[in-house]
Amino acid sequence: METDRLKRINELAKKQRTEGLTEAEMLEQQRLRKEYLAAFKKNLVAQLDNTYIVDSEGNKRKITRKSEKPD
């Protein structure tokens, strides 16, 4: 996520604590938070998709999602 967006999220949070937000600012804050969470989740999933577990014998095993585990 761009640093400008993150700065804006922090500005709105600070303003909310000090003087309050207008309706438009509240909507902007909600939208920015949703975008931030979506980007965070996307990055986490990408990182986990490229994660392997190495056992004591040196065997590599890819991490899979619960829904992808074989029966």
Side-chain angles (χ1 to χ4, degrees):
M1 181 172 219
E2 299 173 11
T3 57
D4 295 339
R5 289 183 182 175
L6 196 53
K7 284 181 183 178
R8 182 64 180 153
I9 290 171
N10 291 330
E11 288 172 2
L12 289 171
K14 184 177 180 181
K15 184 176 179 186
Q16 183 180 24
R17 286 190 304 270
T18 57
E19 57 192 82
L21 298 175
T22 66
E23 186 67 31
E25 289 171 331
M26 282 188 228
L27 293 174
E28 179 187 8
Q29 184 183 42
Q30 289 174 355
R31 180 183 55 81
L32 289 171
R33 285 179 174 173
K34 284 180 183 179
E35 289 175 8
Y36 175 79
L37 285 175
F40 181 86
K41 288 177 185 178
K42 182 180 175 184
N43 289 336
L44 180 60
V45 168
Q47 184 176 2
L48 291 174
D49 284 344
N50 293 309
T51 301
Y52 292 85
I53 295 175
V54 180
D55 64 17
S56 60
E57 297 174 5
N59 299 320
K60 288 173 63 174
R61 183 173 49 97
K62 186 168 177 66
I63 292 179
T64 57
R65 295 182 185 197
K66 286 186 177 183
S67 61
E68 294 177 3
K69 284 188 177 179
D71 293 329

